[in-house]
Amino acid sequence: MDWNTMLSYHWGAMMPEFVILGTAMALSILDLFWPKHFNRRKLAWLALTGIILAFFSLISLFSFETVSILSDTFRLDSFAKAFKLILLLGAGLIILLAESYEPKEGLKEHRGEFYYLFLTALLGAMIMTSSGDLITLFIGLELLSLSSYILSGIRKQNTKSNEAAMKYVINGGISTAITLFGMSYLYGVTGSVNLGEMSRTMAGMTDGQLLYITGLAFFMVFIGLSFKIAATPFHMWAPDVYEGAPTPVTAFLSVISKTAGFVILLRIFLSLFLTAPGDTLGAFDFFEKNSGYIALVSAVTMIVGNVIALRQQNLKRLFAYSSIAHAGYLLVAVTTLGGGYFLMDTVWFYLLAYTLMNIGAFAIIQVLSIRSGSEDISILAGLGKKSPYLAIAFTVFILSLAGIPGTAGFIGKLNIFLGAFITEPGHYVLAGIMIAATIVSYVYYFGLLVQVFFRLDHSGKLIKVRSGLSIVIMVCIGGTILFGLAPNLAFDFLHNHFGDFKDFISSE
């Protein structure tokens, strides 16, 4: 590849990634050379500035048609633009969360590392959304994963944090190996790692032996990525890692990492298993015949996540099982993706709603856990009297997570539920399990509200909220209520700027 060819590429398509990369490099250099007495908490504002610049540079690319560079390994299409919005929004809120994070054992010596490791993880997730081949997808996945392993154990003197990092590395290594093995089979049957070329090859695939190998690849990739999204029975790592990791990292894993997991899942499934005409013997029929396995994992995930959450007394473990249950809800949408591309709107909206309500809830948990030195459910006791503002905010987030009307969470679940009915064939049993699992979730979600409003706390301590956390809480409340009462604002924005997502596969 000569210099003129390199200059001919539309490098502006990667501007958000360049901004995040440059910010991460600047943070690492500053952290390395600045004196030890310098308060590295201030680096959070530089990280936030980088995220905001990347956000606006992404918005400036909305008017661009699909851009493909570097031999179609990087694609800026509607799929990439839409999901990068969620990733950057969530990242900005979590940086504000991290700026206010001050555990009792301290984080001064590693706070600078936190910010640039966080940005490299974000960069990996953003690369995954724009990947046009399996190699780029895998590089993005590993960049996200390796940074996440370090972040989960960044409190080096905390035994729970050490345990979290160890379990995350072990499970992450297993999932990576399984995913890569499945990808190698896909490469073997198609002779390419480019998703567009692989899609066209698989569309005309009729050989029974090749279809059998494709089936093995499908299951291995799905199992490997099920670890990443914490779907049952591959969820074992999530509760321990959520509990042991610092609260901003827990929020990051529950939102950014989970979104990235579904991004890579959708990229592979939509590109390789939903593109052949329905009357062929190719990949489309394969997905239709095997979507029942995804439905089974979805059902078990919803049931296990919500039932085990009933027994949890640690808030972060409870939210870990809640996160597992929400992965199950999203897998319902993945199961029904064969019914039409418009269901992508449902996945995007649910991830947006989940980002807002989950980060908002973790912001309040962080305030209370730092104040009390505990993460037990009892720290919510008397919150309604001690801080009505925080109590109302927490109530909004919990009602949204439970799927109560008037919140973004309700609209997200309703769309997934309706999608399970309108697809052919309808997934009526799965929709019924989703309703039952949601009802079970009311028990532990409303149990938290009982602590907030009907349990007394005699400590009498004032609850101080830093300005960064106040911004996070207000943004999350506003978004949760706004998209709950006027969801068309989000859907109209999505349709006006990103259409129907049909440009995510190369047409060359």
Side-chain angles (χ1 to χ4, degrees), residues 101 105 107 113-114 117-118 121 144-172 237-254 257 316:
Y101 182 67
E105 72 271 17
L107 195 66
E113 297 174 25
F114 177 93
L117 284 170
F118 176 84
L144 168 67
S145 299
L146 293 174
S147 300
S148 300
Y149 301 154
I150 302 171
L151 286 172
S152 63
I154 201 165
R155 292 185 296 172
K156 298 180 182 179
Q157 306 303 318
N158 185 288
T159 54
K160 286 188 176 181
S161 189
N162 295 337
E163 180 185 357
M166 182 189 70
K167 291 182 176 179
Y168 198 12
V169 168
I170 293 173
N171 283 276
W237 61 272
D240 292 325
V241 174
Y242 276 46
E243 180 183 6
T247 304
V249 177
T250 303
F252 163 79
L253 293 174
S254 71
S257 184
K316 287 164 74 174

Side-chain angles (χ1 to χ4, degrees), residues 375-408:
E375 294 172 350
D376 191 85
I377 288 177
S378 61
I379 65 175
L380 295 169
L383 183 62
K385 290 186 177 180
K386 290 183 292 187
S387 178
Y389 161 63
L390 291 180
I392 292 172
F394 192 73
T395 301
V396 170
F397 301 137
I398 292 299
L399 293 179
S400 186
L401 285 164
I404 301 301
T407 62

